[in-house]
């Protein structure tokens, strides 16, 4: 059978379609009713390349299998030379043929690619489905998306008005369907590249066929030449202006807006809109919200390969600038710049370097930094700084041999890189190694090696004071540098902050830590990227703020430090995270982070800042949770450190031993240890001690009867509060210490009030527990103990919770015992003793009682001691409680 503008049609012999089951079912239903009489129209629409023609072939096969006659296009009229036939006579001939054919057998007419029909064919399509609707003729029309000629649009509108018309939208194949096709062909390795076809069969099949048959690969893309040919067929019908826009937009790898594209091309957005609409209409671009992307990554790759290298690099570089002006970060554009930046492009190299220090990915940091160095002329003033940054990033990433090799490759101009290594060694408290690097700097310095040594020694000395690492060799006190050094300034300020803590000036310490951060930030601004010194300064302040209960601010500093990539040892950041979790009352999380830091120690020497913070935190956790096995391990570590180390490391170890001894009930040993750490004179050597430990000292002093230790702890707490009056937490600690020393419920109640809703819940729980001990009324005391118990249980402080639970039980037992015995015991008091205890139980002091009863204070004290023995009480508080219980 002849057809118009097409080929004879036969049943489909191709492989089954994947991902089109529902559409095939719908087409089958469309054909199944044709024998019952009556026509019908189905319109398939989809983007170029989605396989509309293949669906028509499948429908033709379905029709042939059911005995339905198939015609592809309009059948020919009686005359051979179509150019000589009058249009009206041809339409009439077509109508006659369709009528006669449909009366013999049901008929399926398929129209592939509607826009290719000539005006006469479009006119017939508008008329026949309606005029011949009573005949068993089914019309299956395929058309691609996009803007069409007016007569094509009119034909589509007419078809849409046909009674019972079906509209089927044909989407791209799903990822699952693509995978099935690839597996059908036993080519699983092709799955990643097949995904780039965007589910378009017109691209997918040439791609897989070319890969399977070993078709030549295109030089620009590495894809089979069959794919390039398929892409050209796909976009052949795109208007010229749209085609040009399509090619130039291929440098953009991510979704974009029309305005962004216009900026990249340096064109008026209005001039881009029409062509963009054409590309969206035909489906080679897809729209999502305000952004546009390529429907198929393969298409973008193919057309991008056709750009000249010069044009591609120019447009790619423009794309980077546009993204930056629209708020992108250096990290967002670094990979694109990596391939298109030119030698000496200062702006591009600055962006690569900024991305290298800002990323949290060590591999990217090294790659971008080395690329920036490679593209920086050796004679450039920036080469030294970039060389040093590349060395620093290699070192921080653990590639230390590569870092030293790169540093050595710089010759005399590599001194700054060696300075970076020396500073990092100092930060890690590896002072012996640091001095070796400093010696290398002094030997290889191009000018004034003595000044270079002074600068590095100043950095090391400053951070040595901060970390408190007294192990290894320390440099001699440095001479004043001839020229101010920004890095040394940061560490000198941090050193002053540490000295302020030791001098009990907590507010000043926090302020100086903020100054150090500001100096680091100033350096960051000057160098257009974050610098390593920001991290230790922020972590230092985080520890200071956490100790006084400003947990949110401390956490913000921790987050700030973590945003500075590769700025210092990640173990230190993890140790600070552990400490803040402990201070916030989350013992489980604190223990997890602290244990991770300690487990990562490979040297067995716990002498740097990260280890000390983690060790103190782990010790606090095991004491409060009473983990016997872990306590034994920490005691072993601390004993070794106390015997081997000096200065802050030894002080840390001894305080741990004091805490562990107190937890074991050996208060005498604990007090002896405490005197070695907290002593008058030079101040506390460990810079990150906890002010809340001062009331613990008072409690310990009370247990062993050491009035001097109690006075020292109270005096230290009051000095802290006096020198930082704006810090409410320190005022509460001083009030707590005083209340404990004097057994004064008024002071303890005030300390509890000052700590109400405070983030350091365990500190408040301890205050409430101490307040309960001096509270006369058992019901009130038990309420306080229950509040304390709840907070301790919430924090996971099981040892503390067990102690408070025991006191709750004891409080109830005392109340029951006194209720039964107080009347009998009170009868043994003499009248004079009775009068004295009655006054004291009412709240009078010894002096007030003496004045009221016209006795001397010594006589009152003597009566009280005898009354204590007779009633079986040990203090004024127990006396008052006993009499209150007996009166009920």
């Amino acid at each position: 059978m002849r057809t118009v503008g097409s080929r004879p049609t036969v049943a489909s012999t191709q492989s089954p379609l994947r991902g089109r089951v529902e559409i095939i079912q719908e087409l089958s239903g469309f054909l199944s009713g044709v024998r019952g009489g009556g026509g019908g129209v189905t319109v398939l629409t989809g983007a170029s390349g989605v396989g509309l023609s293949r669906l028509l072939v499948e429908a033709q096969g379905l029709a042939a299998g059911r005995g339905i006659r198939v015609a592809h296009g309009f059948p020919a009229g009686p005359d051979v030379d179509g150019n000589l036939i009058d249009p009206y006579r041809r339409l009439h001939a077509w109508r006659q043929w369709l009528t006669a054919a449909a009366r013999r057998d049901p008929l399926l007419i398929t129209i592939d690619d509607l826009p290719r029909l000539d005006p006469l064919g479009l006119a017939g399509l508008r008329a026949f489905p309606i005029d011949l609707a009573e005949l068993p003729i089914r019309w299956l029309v395929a058309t691609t998306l996009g803007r069409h000629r007016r007569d094509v649009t009119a034909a589509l509108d007419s078809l849409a008005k046909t009674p019972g018309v079906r509209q089927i939208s044909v989407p791209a194949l799903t990822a699952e369907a693509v995978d099935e096709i690839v597996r059908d062909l036993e080519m699983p390795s092709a799955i990643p590249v097949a995904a780039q076809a965007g589910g378009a069969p017109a691209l997918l099949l040439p791609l897989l066929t070319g890969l399977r048959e070993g078709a030549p690969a295109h030089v620009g893309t590495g894809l089979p030449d069959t794919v390039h040919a398929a892409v050209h067929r796909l976009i052949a019908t795109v208007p010229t202006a749209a085609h040009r826009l399509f090619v130039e937009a291929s440098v953009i790898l991510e979704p974009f807006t029309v305005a962004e594209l216009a900026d990249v091309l340096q064109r008026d957005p209005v001039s881009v809109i029409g062509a963009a609409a054409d590309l969206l209409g035909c489906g080679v671009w897809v729209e999502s919200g305000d952004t546009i992307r390529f429907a198929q990554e393969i298409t973008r790759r193919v057309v991008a390969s056709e750009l000249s290298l010069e044009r591609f690099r120019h447009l790619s570089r423009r794309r980077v600038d546009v993204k930056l002006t629209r708020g992108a970060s250096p990290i967002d554009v670094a990979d694109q710049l990596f391939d298109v930046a030119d030698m000496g492009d200062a702006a591009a190299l600055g962006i690569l370097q900024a991305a290298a220090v800002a990323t949290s990915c060590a591999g990217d940091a090294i790659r971008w930094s080395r690329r920036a160095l490679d593209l920086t002329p050796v004679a450039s003033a920036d080469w030294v700084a970039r060389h040093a940054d590349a060395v620093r990033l290699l070192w921080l990433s653990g590639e230390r041999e590569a870092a030293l090799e790169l540093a050595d490759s710089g010759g005399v101009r590599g001194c700054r890189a060696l300075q970076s290594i020396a500073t990092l060694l100092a930060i890690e408290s590896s002072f012996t190694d640091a001095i070796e690097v400093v010696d290398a700097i002094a030997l290889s310095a191009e000018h004034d090696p003595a000044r270079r040594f002074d600068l590095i020694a100043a950095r090391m000395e400053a951070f040595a004071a901060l970390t408190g690492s007294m192990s290894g060799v320390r440099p001699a006190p440095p001479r004043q540098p001839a020229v101010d050094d920004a890095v040394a300034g940061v560490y000198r300020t941090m050193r002053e902050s540490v000295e302020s803590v030791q001098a009990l000036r907590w507010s000043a310490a926090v302020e100086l830590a903020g100054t150090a951060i500001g100096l680091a930030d100033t350096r960051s601004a000057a160098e257009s990227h974050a610098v390593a010194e920001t991290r230790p300064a922020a972590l230092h302040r985080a520890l200071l703020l956490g100790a006084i209960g400003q947990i949110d601010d401390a956490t913000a500093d921790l987050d700030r430090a973590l945003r500075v990539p590769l700025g210092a040892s990640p173990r230190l950041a993890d140790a600070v995270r552990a400490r803040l979790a402990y201070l916030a009352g989350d013992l489980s999380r604190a223990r997890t982070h602290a244990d991770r830091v300690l487990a990562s120690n490979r040297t067995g020497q716990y002498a740097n800042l990260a280890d000390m913070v983690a060790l103190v935190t782990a010790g606090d956790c095991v004491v409060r949770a009473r983990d016997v096995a872990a306590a034994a391990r920490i005691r072993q570590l601390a004993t070794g450190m106390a015997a081997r180390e000096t200065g802050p490391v030894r002080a840390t170890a001894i305080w741990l031993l004091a805490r562990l001894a107190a937890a074991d009930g050996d208060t005498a040993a604990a007090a002896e240890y405490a005197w070695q750490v907290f002593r008058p004179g030079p101040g506390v050597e460990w810079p990150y001690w906890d002010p809340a430990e001062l009331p613990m000292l008072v409690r310990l002093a009370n247990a062993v009867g050491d009035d001097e230790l109690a006075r020292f702890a109270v005096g230290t707490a009051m000095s802290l509060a006096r020198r930082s009056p704006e810090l409410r937490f320190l005022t509460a600690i001083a009030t707590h210490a005083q209340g404990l020393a004097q057994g004064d419920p008024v002071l303890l109640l005030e300390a509890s009030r000052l700590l109400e809703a405070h983030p350091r819940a365990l500190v408040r729980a301890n205050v409430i527990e101490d307040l309960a001990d001096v509270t006369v009324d058992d019901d009130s005391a038990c309420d306080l103990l229950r509040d304390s118990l709840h907070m301790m249980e919430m924090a996971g402080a099981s040892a503390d919770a067990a102690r408070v639970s025991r006191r709750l039980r004891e409080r109830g037992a005392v109340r029951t015992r006194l209720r039964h015995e107080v009347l009998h015991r009170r009868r043994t008091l003499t009248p004079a003793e009775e009068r004295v205890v009655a006054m004291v139980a009412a709240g009078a002091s010894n002096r007030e009682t003496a004045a009221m009863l016209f006795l001397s204070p010594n006589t009152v004290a003597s009566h009280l001691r005898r009354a204590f023995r007779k009633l079986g009480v040990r203090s004024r508080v127990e006396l008052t409680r006993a009499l209150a219980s007996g009166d009920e």
Side-chain angles (χ1 to χ4, degrees), residues 187-397:
M187 301 173 63
S189 61
I191 288 178
V193 69
Q196 297 182 19
L203 298 178
L204 180 62
L205 297 180
L207 169 67
L208 296 177
T209 301
L211 291 173
R212 186 173 59 180
E213 297 178 357
H218 192 275
V219 176
T221 63
L223 297 170
D225 284 341
T226 53
V227 174
H228 282 251
V231 169
H232 291 148
R233 287 194 299 271
L234 190 67
I235 62 175
T237 58
V238 174
T240 302
H243 186 278
R244 184 167 60 251
L245 182 68
F246 187 71
V247 171
E248 294 196 325
S250 63
V251 300
I252 303 177
L253 305 180
E254 64 285 324
F256 54 89
T257 66
V258 170
E260 288 171 342
L261 178 58
D263 283 348
V264 171
L265 301 179
Q266 296 177 291
R267 290 168 55 181
D268 184 350
V270 175
S271 68
V272 174
I273 290 174
D278 285 334
L279 295 169
L280 287 168
C282 67
V284 292
W285 279 359
V286 291
E287 195 169 17
S288 177
D290 295 332
T291 61
I292 296 169
R293 64 176 176 80
F294 282 78
Q296 302 95 19
E297 171 62 12
I298 280 181
T299 305
R300 189 201 64 77
R301 288 174 59 186
V302 168
V303 296
S305 70
E306 296 175 359
L307 279 170
S308 68
L309 181 59
E310 180 181 359
R311 183 62 175 164
F312 180 86
R313 292 172 67 89
H314 171 74
L315 291 176
S316 297
R317 186 68 179 83
R318 278 285 306 161
R319 175 57 176 157
V320 169
D321 290 339
V322 169
K323 289 182 69 174
L324 290 171
T325 59
R326 293 176 178 269
S329 70
I331 293 175
D332 296 330
V333 300
D335 274 330
Q336 193 164 359
L337 266 182
F338 190 93
D339 294 322
V340 300
D342 293 321
M343 174 69 78
D345 182 344
L349 302 185
I351 293 166
L352 282 171
Q353 194 61 40
V357 298
T359 183
S360 58
C361 175
D364 285 342
I366 293 170
R367 189 164 54 88
W368 294 335
S369 179
R370 291 298 299 267
R371 182 61 172 166
L373 178 63
D374 292 343
L375 294 176
T376 302
V378 176
S380 166
D382 294 328
W383 186 89
V384 172
R386 294 208 172 105
H387 180 254
D389 279 342
V391 168
R392 179 174 63 89
L393 291 170
L394 280 168
W395 185 276
L396 287 167
S397 301

